[in-house]
Amino acid sequence: MRNTRVVWTIAAIAAVLVLTGAGIALALAQRTDPPVAAPAPATPPATPPPTSASPEPPAGADITGPLDLLIVGVDTRVSIPDWEPHADAIMLLHVDADLKSGYLYSLPRDLRVNVPAFPKAGFRGGRYKITEAMSRGSRVPGSNRPSAAQGYELLEQAVSDYTGIETFHAGAVLTFNGLSRLTDALGGVTLRIDQKVVSQHRRPDGTMRTMRSGGGGYTGPQATYLPGTRTLKGWQAIDYARQRYTPGGDYTRQRHQRQLVEALLTRVGTAGLATDPAKLQSVLTALGDTLLYVGGRNPIEYAYALRNLSPADLTLVGLPGASIGSGGGYAGEQLTSVGRGFLRAVAQGRPETYLADHPELVHR
């Protein structure tokens, strides 16, 4: 039985909210209330009370590493009632035993894996693209309303079986709209754009492009992101990180998503959230119902445990893969032996040693 403790919800960037939560944790740990005079007792106590009491350890001080987090960006079509959620971005964060360094890496959304049977959704299991685990697991028998939390549960099982990571201590689910809100609440994000990206979805002014009659893509002018250091609004950052019809395809998109996570973490630090709980609360409020909280230990506890993990302490890792076919058509993606080797190294607690032998997997 898996020990699922989904504690913080952030789609492609659960790490961001865990770390911004550190501001709350520190504020609570450091807060001092004015002393309140106690009424004098009627008679002296038989035994004098202790002159001082040992302070309680901060919540989360008992959490130890290593930790593994599953970060999911959900592809929801809010304009379509009861649209089943798809895991459009799947990132994993491994935090070392000292809780001061970590590794952020991605799985292709079209990765072919064995998805286990899931009675809750009436699903018998089989070999599918990993993105489908979320949607198939979200189906509630007898209802037309999908459950994203239930879909996450099956996705987590599929990822665990594929990677060999037995327990995910924290997880995240956030819609693209929520990620855009978060970026805007932080005042935008500065990214180093590493190649020209032309949007399939947005016009230069941010409005949606028009679907072709009968399907088959979009029409109209396209937002374009040129190489260089740019500060992007929420819709721009998410639009840029979503594009996969670029040189490198989905592997390029995975790299851009990891870069966005790192940039948002950096923005969290420069925005002063760690010392301004009120500002942090306004950021969380801005997310509204785009956040999915599934349950587990209090997020404040994990926030305190990860208070020393900064963007500079994260190693971004790209796992190589290639497309596979079936019957002459595209069937999905598979990781190379080097990519699978990194997953085994993480499950065995030796990612640093593996990357020393395969430095080509590390990127910025």
Side-chain angles (χ1 to χ4, degrees), residues 6-349:
V6 181
V7 299
W8 206 230
T9 51
I10 267 275
I13 60 167
V16 172
L17 286 189
V18 170
L19 293 175
T20 55
I24 299 178
L26 291 174
L28 292 176
Q30 297 171 355
R31 184 180 62 195
T32 57
D33 295 317
V36 178
T43 57
T47 303
T51 56
S52 63
S54 300
E56 290 291 330
D62 63 317
I63 295 177
T64 59
L67 300 175
D68 287 285
L69 293 79
L70 177 59
I71 306 166
V72 184
V74 178
D75 177 16
T76 54
R77 310 292 175 89
V78 294
S79 61
I80 303 176
D82 303 328
W83 178 269
E84 292 180 351
H86 285 68
D88 202 53
I90 303 172
M91 282 185 281
L92 297 93
L93 175 63
H94 176 82
V95 183
D96 286 331
D98 62 3
L99 301 181
K100 295 180 180 180
S101 57
Y103 303 85
L104 186 67
Y105 56 103
S106 309
L107 297 179
R109 69 185 298 278
D110 289 345
L111 184 68
R112 298 288 294 188
V113 301
N114 293 319
V115 181
F118 193 58
K120 284 185 181 180
F123 176 61
R124 297 182 178 180
R127 193 160 181 81
Y128 296 91
K129 295 176 181 178
I130 198 166
T131 183
E132 296 179 75
M134 184 92 182
S135 58
R136 292 179 181 275
S138 73
R139 298 171 184 173
V140 179
S143 172
N144 292 325
R145 187 172 296 278
S147 167
Q150 186 175 288
Y152 175 90
E153 186 177 346
L154 178 57
L155 176 65
E156 182 194 36
Q157 291 181 21
V159 172
S160 179
D161 290 346
Y162 182 78
T163 61
I165 299 172
E166 295 183 359
T167 300
F168 288 100
H169 305 87
V173 178
L174 183 75
T175 67
F176 288 120
N177 185 42
L179 194 54
S180 178
R181 287 188 193 179
L182 174 63
T183 303
D184 283 334
L186 291 171
V189 65
T190 300
L191 277 172
R192 182 182 63 82
I193 296 176
D194 56 16
Q195 68 182 61
K196 179 180 178 179
V197 173
V198 179
S199 176
Q200 296 293 314
H201 311 101
R202 298 273 189 170
R203 296 172 181 266
D205 63 359
T207 57
M208 301 300 297
R209 298 180 70 213
T210 304
M211 286 285 293
R212 294 183 186 278
S213 178
Y218 302 82
T219 64
Q222 297 168 271
T224 301
Y225 308 95
L226 299 176
T229 301
R230 317 280 180 189
T231 298
L232 305 180
K233 300 176 182 178
W235 73 264
Q236 292 173 316
I238 307 312
D239 186 48
Y240 167 74
R242 287 190 66 186
Q243 304 307 314
R244 60 173 172 157
Y245 296 106
T246 58
D250 190 52
Y251 296 94
T252 293
R253 178 170 69 165
Q254 293 171 43
R255 182 177 73 250
H256 292 168
Q257 289 168 348
R258 290 189 296 271
Q259 290 168 344
L260 175 57
V261 169
E262 184 182 46
L264 283 168
L265 286 170
T266 300
R267 182 65 185 136
V268 163
T270 59
L273 299 188
T275 57
D276 192 337
K279 184 184 295 185
L280 174 59
Q281 184 58 53
S282 70
V283 170
L284 301 182
T285 300
L287 294 175
D289 58 6
T290 59
L291 269 176
L292 169 67
Y293 182 72
V294 184
R297 282 188 73 162
N298 191 310
I300 296 300
E301 298 177 52
Y302 277 92
Y304 182 83
L306 296 177
R307 66 195 182 281
N308 293 318
L309 180 63
S310 72
D313 300 319
L314 285 181
T315 298
L316 306 188
V317 180
L319 303 183
S323 61
I324 54 178
S326 178
Y330 175 74
E333 300 289 324
Q334 64 180 2
L335 294 182
T336 65
S337 59
V338 173
R340 290 294 300 269
F342 176 77
L343 297 179
R344 288 193 296 272
V346 171
Q348 295 167 3

